[in-house]
Amino acid sequence: MTEGFRGIIQTMGLGNLKPNIVVMRYPEIWRRENLTEIPSTFVGIINDCITANKAVVIIKGLDEWPNEYQRQYGTIDLYWIVRDGGLMLLLSQLLLTKESFESCKIQLFCIAEEDSDAEALKADVKKFLYDLRMQAEVIVVTMKSWDIRSEGNSKEDSLEAFDAAQRRISDYLGEIKSQGSTPRLANGKAMVVNEQQVEKFLYTMLKLNSTILSYSRMAAVVLVSLPPPPLNHPAYFYMEYMDLLVENVPRMLIVRGYHRDVVTLFT
């Protein structure tokens, strides 16, 4: 499948008329069906898209996606973590043109590291949206004030998934150590696992998932930036990170732009 996809992505299009977005379904059943080849295929496709400078949109909850007769109410929530050329903003506007989402409002969540950055960030984003003539409510979430010990169902749900992911990764590392040989990554390099870095990635996904569940549990659809696969991390670990990110979110678009502006003052 990986080789076939590489062939498609290099040859698709006619002259200058070439697709610039790859859309695929999130493999939700990979663990339940024990499809062990899925992580390496999934990560390989994302890396190939990045190399080919294609945007990526991954759909989670495709089976629950509404048809044209199922009108949605509430909000379309965007978690704008990485500047991606405005692809996430453009997708939210395109959703509003569909009958099923036309009654929804857009909420744009920005992630600030410090409490002191919140107001300045909110003002900058509001000015940016005003210049683009886009209507959206801007909400700034501060990661510094996020408390893992605070009460709430969203944090309990996320923590349960976090603990399960930690156990599976620990078991995976234990199996590797028991084999005695150094495993290889897909690119042929020896796999050197930095366990502190793995823990940091898991914890970041835990915070983001619990934030999404706190603010967007009832949203019609959630859009979030796609984290690129980290170097020197096994594909299996990346799937654990992604599973933690999408946990208990029924409909989600995970978006990575190709760092060219698709939304400007003139569009």
Side-chain angles (χ1 to χ4, degrees), residues 197-215:
Q197 199 175 46
V198 171
E199 191 76 13
K200 182 180 177 182
F201 268 93
L202 275 177
Y203 190 69
T204 301
M205 292 302 177
L206 166 66
K207 291 198 289 185
L208 185 52
N209 176 259
S210 71
T211 300
I212 291 172
L213 292 181
S214 295
Y215 289 95

Side-chain angles (χ1 to χ4, degrees), residues 69-123:
Y69 304 110
Q70 295 173 309
R71 188 174 291 272
Q72 302 296 299
Y73 297 94
T75 59
I76 298 172
D77 290 356
L78 283 64
Y79 286 81
W80 202 14
I81 301 165
V82 178
R83 185 166 183 178
D84 61 354
L87 179 59
M88 196 183 296
L89 290 171
L90 180 59
L91 288 174
S92 68
Q93 296 297 316
L94 292 174
L95 283 173
L96 289 180
T97 66
K98 303 300 177 185
E99 284 189 27
S100 50
F101 290 103
E102 66 182 3
S103 300
C104 295
K105 305 291 185 183
I106 294 177
Q107 292 186 143
L108 178 58
F109 292 85
C110 300
I111 310 298
E113 286 297 323
E114 304 286 343
D115 292 339
S116 57
D117 301 335
E119 287 305 317
L121 178 60
K122 187 172 185 176

Side-chain angles (χ1 to χ4, degrees), residues 100-145:
S100 50
F101 290 103
E102 66 182 3
S103 300
C104 295
K105 305 291 185 183
I106 294 177
Q107 292 186 143
L108 178 58
F109 292 85
C110 300
I111 310 298
E113 286 297 323
E114 304 286 343
D115 292 339
S116 57
D117 301 335
E119 287 305 317
L121 178 60
K122 187 172 185 176
D124 288 344
V125 174
K126 277 189 168 183
K127 173 68 165 57
F128 178 68
L129 292 175
Y130 177 79
D131 290 341
L132 295 176
R133 303 186 300 281
M134 287 186 175
Q135 292 186 347
E137 182 182 358
V138 179
I139 300 168
V140 178
V141 179
T142 307
M143 288 288 100
K144 194 81 172 177
S145 60

Side-chain angles (χ1 to χ4, degrees), residues 244-258:
L244 186 53
L245 173 64
V246 306
E247 182 74 18
N248 292 318
V249 184
R251 282 197 291 260
M252 179 183 277
L253 297 181
I254 312 164
V255 181
R256 184 190 188 276
Y258 51 104

